[in-house]
């Protein structure tokens, strides 16, 4: 492991928590199962894709979806997952944009709260006016 990765794990031990590791593993299996169902359904409906998008991007473990997409883009992915899943994800490249779009929406929604907090911090930390 590179030093930066080791430092992250040393600094943030919760990332290596057994319960979180198991939860991520379960999430990965669920996502793979859902992708396989979509891949073998023929042409999934827009509703089915929307439900999957919601599930994959709104989940607390949406990082697992990002990692799974990266893995499925690797040349040897078919040695570990069904070819139909790899082909499905390849054919639906829009899935690679979903998390970025969701993150942008969340950032936009959070902007007023962040601005308010930043203003409050500036007020508290502003230097006292000279007397």
């Amino acid at each position: 492991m590179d030093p930066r990765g080791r430092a992250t794990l040393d600094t943030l031990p919760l990332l290596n928590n057994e319960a979180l590791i198991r939860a991520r593993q379960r999430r990965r299996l669920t996502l793979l199962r859902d992708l396989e169902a979509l891949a073998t359904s023929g042409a999934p409906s827009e509703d089915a894709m929307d439900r999957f998008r919601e599930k994959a991007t709104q989940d607390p473990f949406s990082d697992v979806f990002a990692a799974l997409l990266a893995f499925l883009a690797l040349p040897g992915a078919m040695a570990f997952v069904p070819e139909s899943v790899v082909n499905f994800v390849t054919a639906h490249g829009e899935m690679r944009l979903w998390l970025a779009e969701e993150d942008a929406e969340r950032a936009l929604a959070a902007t007023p709260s962040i601005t308010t907090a930043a203003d409050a911090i500036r007020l508290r930390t502003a230097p006292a006016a000279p007397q």
Side-chain angles (χ1 to χ4, degrees):
M1 177 178 295
D2 72 58
R4 186 174 175 195
R6 173 68 7 214
T8 299
L9 290 178
D10 290 344
T11 305
L12 303 169
L14 289 178
L15 291 177
N16 217 14
N17 177 294
E18 276 299 314
L20 288 176
I21 291 169
R22 284 192 304 276
R24 285 187 197 100
Q25 289 170 336
R26 284 191 304 274
R27 190 68 189 128
R28 184 181 64 250
L29 292 174
T30 299
L31 286 168
L32 280 170
R33 194 171 34 251
D34 291 348
L35 282 169
E36 189 166 13
L38 287 169
T40 58
S41 70
S45 69
E46 189 174 324
D47 280 347
M49 290 296 286
D50 287 344
R51 281 191 305 275
F52 178 72
R53 177 184 177 149
E54 178 84 15
K55 190 176 190 180
T57 62
Q58 298 300 315
D59 186 90
F61 294 106
S62 59
D63 62 315
V64 174
F65 180 56
L68 183 59
L69 289 176
F71 171 76
L72 293 173
L74 296 174
M78 283 188 252
F80 301 95
V81 298
E83 183 177 350
S84 60
V85 171
V86 175
N87 291 337
F88 181 79
V89 170
T90 301
H92 291 277
E94 72 275 10
M95 285 193 280
R96 299 189 185 289
L97 304 175
W98 289 352
L99 287 169
E101 291 168 356
E102 292 296 325
D103 287 346
E105 287 179 28
R106 283 191 276 270
L108 188 61
T111 298
S113 298
I114 293 168
T115 302
T116 300
D119 289 344
I121 291 167
R122 277 193 287 276
L123 288 175
R124 280 185 280 202
T125 60
Q131 296 182 9

